[in-house]
């Protein structure tokens, strides 16, 4: 299949949408499809071979932050030329409601268009002023994908349409191959040692850090050498709040981490703990910890239960129960056999979230969009080369 | 000559209005054609699922499933939604689990998943076409008279539980 993907944000600055597009494009190429990605970027910036630079992006204050986007007559001409040269079977745009290449591409497109909505943003301010333009853009889109349940709900409630929910994939290999941080995870024997991991906004109550903290504070005095590795945005002072002074040197705080350091951090723990009390729609971090080979201990939320294959790919504990969590942790740290068994099952389960698996689901949406434009059913061989 | 101005203004207004009307008419046509194409694709996927279900039913000697599949394949348009819902119910009652994937089961699960996507897209495109029909100008000039009114195909989500293990 010839696939044209449009990225609204510049490749000169890293970001979630850009990462998503690179991973998706590479997975699709790996499955044997022809992919061209159009993105704002300087002509001379180093880009993957499948990315076509659409020229410099201008920084524009937007929705409270600065987005680097390309928009205007020159960009329009470039988009049209790229579309004409590419002769794509399907056009896949990301965040088409931002003033960006994505929007220009949708308006210039003739064939099937698939759109992915990443954020739960309803509409930009510029768009709110032009309801008619919004309708025009949405009308050109054949099939919509939302990357989270929240983004999907926005689609249904505010944009008057359904969307298929396909979450981000996990680049399993990147996590599985990362090198642990030097000196971690350390040893873990019966009754001593072991490293627990937590990643996320520890000041946000729904992330449940307080539950892990209580379990750690209760367990650490009885378990010499037990350490806690924490990464995420926030102050050290907030992190140490409620932790006795003598235990503080057993907590290592990494602050905000890059994607690469996140993988290394997840490789550096015996148990990854997700004590969330709610609000987590999917549990991306769990799949990443699973890919990194950590044994996962998570609260019994529906989403976590699904990701952990009903508890076979990780240990579930009653949501919000620090005493139960403490018991769980102590048992698992003393039982390397069970840890290995859970991690082994997790490695199998996480394959369903690996990018190639996610790309296959995106391909099905492409097929649906093409079929809905032509009114037929596609030949399987054409869709899956090789 | 002051009179010339009025002529120019009138000509300009007529040109803009004509362009707008032509564009709107093309837009209405496009939306209807797309909804119709999505309807044909949905129809093809319904057939596929029923055929896959019939194959599975034959393999397992499942009389009720086979009957539901046949009825779905032969249903008249007005009975079709009920017949398809019936087939979904029969498939949900069928045991599709198992370690070693049976090709007939894989085909049914895949066909159901693709049907769910086709249904979703069809619903969205019909909604777009209907909202275009509701515009006052379109109604006034009866721009949609050449097209049948698009209909929603109102069935339950055909996704099967065997698929739920996948990301959702």
């Amino acid at each position: 299949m010839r696939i044209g993907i449009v990225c609204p944000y510049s490749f000169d600055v890293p970001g979630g949408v850009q990462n998503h597009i690179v991973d998706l494009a590479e997975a699709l190429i790996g499955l044997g499809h022809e992919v061209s990605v159009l993105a704002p970027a300087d002509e001379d910036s180093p880009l993957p071979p499948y990315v076509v630079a659409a020229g410099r992006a201008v920084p524009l204050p937007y929705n409270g932050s600065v987005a680097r986007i390309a928009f205007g007559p020159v960009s329009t001409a470039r988009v049209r030329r790229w579309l004409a040269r590419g002769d794509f079977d399907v056009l896949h745009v990301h965040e088409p409601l931002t003033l960006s290449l994505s929007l220009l591409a949708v308006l210039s497109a003739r064939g099937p268009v698939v759109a992915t909505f990443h954020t739960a943003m309803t509409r930009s301010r510029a768009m709110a002023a032009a309801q008619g333009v919004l309708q025009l853009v949405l009308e050109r889109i054949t099939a919509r994908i939302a990357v989270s349940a929240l983004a999907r709900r926005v689609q249904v409630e505010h944009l008057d349409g359904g969307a298929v929910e396909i979450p981000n994939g996990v680049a399993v290999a990147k996590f599985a191959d990362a090198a642990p941080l030097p000196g971690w995870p350390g040893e873990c024997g019966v009754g001593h040692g072991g490293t627990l991991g937590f990643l996320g906004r520890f000041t946000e109550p729904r992330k449940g850090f307080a539950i892990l903290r209580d379990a750690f504070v209760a367990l650490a005095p009885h378990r010499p050498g037990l350490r806690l590795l924490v990464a995420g945005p926030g102050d050290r002072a907030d992190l140490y709040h409620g932790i006795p002074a003598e235990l503080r040197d057993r907590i290592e705080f990494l602050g905000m981490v890059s994607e690469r350091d996140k993988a290394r951090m997840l490789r550096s723990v015996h148990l990854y703990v997700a004590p969330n009390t709610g609000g987590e729609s999917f549990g991306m971090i769990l799949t990443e910890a699973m890919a990194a080979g950590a044994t996962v201990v998570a609260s019994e939320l529906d989403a976590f239960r699904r990701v952990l294959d009903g508890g076979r790919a990780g240990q579930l504990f009653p949501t919000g129960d620090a005493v139960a969590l403490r018991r769980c942790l102590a048992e698992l740290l003393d039982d390397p056999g069970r840890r290995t068994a859970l991690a082994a099952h997790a490695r199998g389960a996480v394959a369903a979230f690996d990018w190639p698996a996610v790309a296959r689901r995106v391909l099905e949406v492409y097929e649906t969009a093409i079929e809905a434009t032509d009114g037929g059913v596609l030949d399987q061989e054409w869709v899956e080369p090789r | 000559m002051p009179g010339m101005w009025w002529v120019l203004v009138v000509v300009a207004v007529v040109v803009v209005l004509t362009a707008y009307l032509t564009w709107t008419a093309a837009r209405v046509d496009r939306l209807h054609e797309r909804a119709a194409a999505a309807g044909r694709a949905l129809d093809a996927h319904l057939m596929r699922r029923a055929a896959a279900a019939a194959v599975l039913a034959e393999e397992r000697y499942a009389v009720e499933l086979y009957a539901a599949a046949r009825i779905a394949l032969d249903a008249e348009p007005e009975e079709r939604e009920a017949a398809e819902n019936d087939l979904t119910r029969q498939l949900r009652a069928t045991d599709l689990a198992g370690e070693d994937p049976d090709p007939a089961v894989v085909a049914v699960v895949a066909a159901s998943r693709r049907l769910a996507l086709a249904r979703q897209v069809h619903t969205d495109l019909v909604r777009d076409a209907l909202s275009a029909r509701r515009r006052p100008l379109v109604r006034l000039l009866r721009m949609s008279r050449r097209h049948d009114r698009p209909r929603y195909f109102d069935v339950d989500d055909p996704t099967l539980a065997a698929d739920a293990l996948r990301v959702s």
Side-chain angles (χ1 to χ4, degrees):
Chain A
M1 206 185 282
R2 292 176 63 81
I3 301 156
I5 300 180
V6 186
C7 177
Y9 308 126
S10 171
F11 267 66
D12 299 330
V13 221
V17 175
Q18 293 91 316
N19 288 341
H20 174 105
I21 289 175
V22 166
D23 287 333
L24 174 65
E26 284 171 7
L28 289 169
I29 291 170
L31 292 170
H33 297 279
E34 273 182 62
V35 179
S36 175
V37 175
L38 182 74
D42 281 333
E43 311 281 342
D44 51 353
S45 49
L47 291 170
Y50 50 83
V51 177
V52 175
R56 180 190 299 269
V58 280
L60 197 83
Y62 172 77
N63 269 11
S65 67
V66 176
R68 301 176 65 87
I69 57 162
F71 200 80
V74 180
S75 299
T76 310
R78 286 200 166 129
V79 167
R80 291 231 164 116
R81 199 160 61 226
W82 175 76
L83 282 172
R85 282 203 193 137
D87 189 25
F88 302 114
D89 296 312
V90 64
L91 175 70
H92 185 181
V93 297
H94 291 255
E95 295 289 31
L97 299 186
T98 53
L99 279 180
S100 65
L101 290 177
S102 295
L103 184 130
L104 296 174
V106 172
L107 292 178
S108 312
R110 288 291 165 270
V113 178
V114 174
T116 293
F117 295 84
H118 291 261
T119 50
M121 171 199 77
T122 44
R123 57 197 66 179
S124 69
R125 259 173 266 139
M127 276 297 158
Q131 192 65 40
V133 178
L134 180 78
Q135 182 57 32
L136 266 182
V137 175
L138 291 174
E139 254 176 38
R140 298 248 175 202
I141 296 168
T142 327
R144 305 182 200 176
I145 297 173
V147 294
S148 66
L150 190 62
R152 196 183 111 78
R153 201 160 68 228
V154 168
Q155 285 293 308
V156 174
E157 288 172 5
H158 298 276
L159 296 172
D160 207 19
V164 188
E165 189 187 328
I166 303 182
N168 275 304
V170 181
V172 170
K174 274 184 208 161
F175 285 92
D177 299 340
L181 301 166
W184 296 83
E187 65 168 326
C188 180
V190 176
H192 66 92
T195 299
L196 310 174
F198 176 90
L199 195 149
R201 206 177 288 277
F202 42 80
T203 48
E204 154 78 50
R206 288 194 306 183
K207 300 280 179 194
F209 180 73
I211 295 151
L212 171 59
R213 184 190 63 209
D214 293 349
F216 178 78
V217 168
L219 185 59
H222 308 289
R223 200 178 166 92
L226 178 71
R227 294 188 291 175
L228 176 59
L229 190 55
V230 179
D235 281 340
R236 199 174 283 269
D238 291 332
L239 176 68
Y240 286 155
H241 176 74
I243 293 178
E246 68 273 15
L247 290 178
R248 288 184 183 173
D249 59 342
R250 286 159 75 177
I251 299 178
E252 178 79 18
F253 177 54
L254 301 175
M256 282 273 277
V257 288
S258 65
E259 280 292 305
R260 205 172 133 264
D261 286 343
K262 178 160 89 176
R264 298 189 64 186
M265 181 252 170
L266 291 172
R267 294 277 294 157
S268 308
V269 301
H270 291 111
L271 298 177
Y272 181 81
V273 188
N276 302 41
T277 56
E280 202 73 7
S281 67
F282 170 59
M284 194 71 197
I285 183 64
L286 291 197
T287 59
E288 291 169 343
M290 287 157 78
T295 303
V296 175
V297 180
S299 46
E300 266 178 330
L301 301 174
D302 280 343
F304 287 179
R305 183 187 291 282
R306 266 203 301 276
V307 172
L308 294 175
D309 197 6
R312 283 183 293 271
Q315 182 68 47
L316 295 164
F317 72 93
T319 307
D321 187 343
V323 179
L325 174 60
R326 186 209 147 168
R327 203 168 44 239
C328 254
L329 295 174
E331 280 169 18
L332 273 172
L333 287 169
D334 280 347
D335 190 349
R338 171 132 178 84
R339 285 206 308 271
T340 317
L342 287 171
H345 193 98
R347 246 191 304 283
V350 82
F353 307 100
D354 200 359
W355 267 108
V358 173
R360 279 199 189 89
R361 301 193 58 204
V362 174
L363 273 170
E364 287 188 337
V365 178
Y366 291 169
E367 289 165 34
T368 307
I370 296 172
E371 289 165 0
T373 311
D374 301 346
V377 169
L378 292 179
D379 199 357
Q380 206 59 35
E381 272 79 78
W382 182 74
V383 174
E384 284 182 16
R386 288 192 293 179
Chain B
M1 281 190 286
M4 277 303 279
W5 274 109
W6 284 108
V7 175
L8 280 178
V9 166
V10 167
V11 167
V13 165
V14 167
V15 166
V16 167
L17 196 65
T18 314
Y20 180 69
L21 289 180
T22 317
W23 176 76
T24 306
R27 184 176 165 195
V28 168
D29 281 349
R30 179 167 53 78
L31 290 174
H32 278 87
E33 276 157 21
R34 216 174 53 157
R40 290 195 295 277
L42 177 64
D43 178 65
H45 277 290
L46 287 167
M47 299 274 213
R48 270 202 172 183
R49 178 179 74 150
V55 170
L56 179 68
E58 279 183 337
E59 198 183 282
R60 300 211 175 160
Y61 303 104
V63 181
E64 284 184 34
L65 178 60
Y66 187 79
R70 285 299 328 177
I71 291 170
L73 279 171
D74 299 338
E76 300 289 326
E78 61 272 19
E79 294 158 0
R80 195 161 182 198
E81 289 166 351
E84 294 295 346
N85 276 337
D86 219 35
L87 178 56
T88 303
R89 268 194 298 279
Q90 284 292 337
L91 284 173
R92 291 224 166 111
T94 309
D95 177 25
L96 300 172
E99 288 299 306
D100 196 24
D102 169 2
V105 170
V106 173
V108 165
V109 171
S112 300
R113 193 171 65 239
R114 299 285 279 101
L115 174 59
L117 290 174
R119 162 184 171 269
Q120 170 95 68
V121 166
H122 176 255
T123 306
D124 282 350
L125 300 190
V126 167
R127 187 185 298 111
D128 283 346
L130 289 178
S131 84
R133 284 176 86 96
R134 272 196 301 270
R135 290 169 152 264
L137 194 65
V138 175
R139 290 216 313 242
L140 185 72
L141 299 178
R142 296 178 55 228
M143 283 180 185
S144 54
R145 65 184 176 281
R146 292 194 288 115
H147 302 280
D148 290 336
R149 186 184 173 77
R151 279 191 58 230
Y152 288 114
F153 190 75
D154 194 7
V155 286
D156 299 335
D157 183 358
T159 314
L160 296 176
D163 229 21
L165 247 188
R166 298 162 56 97
V167 200
S168 72

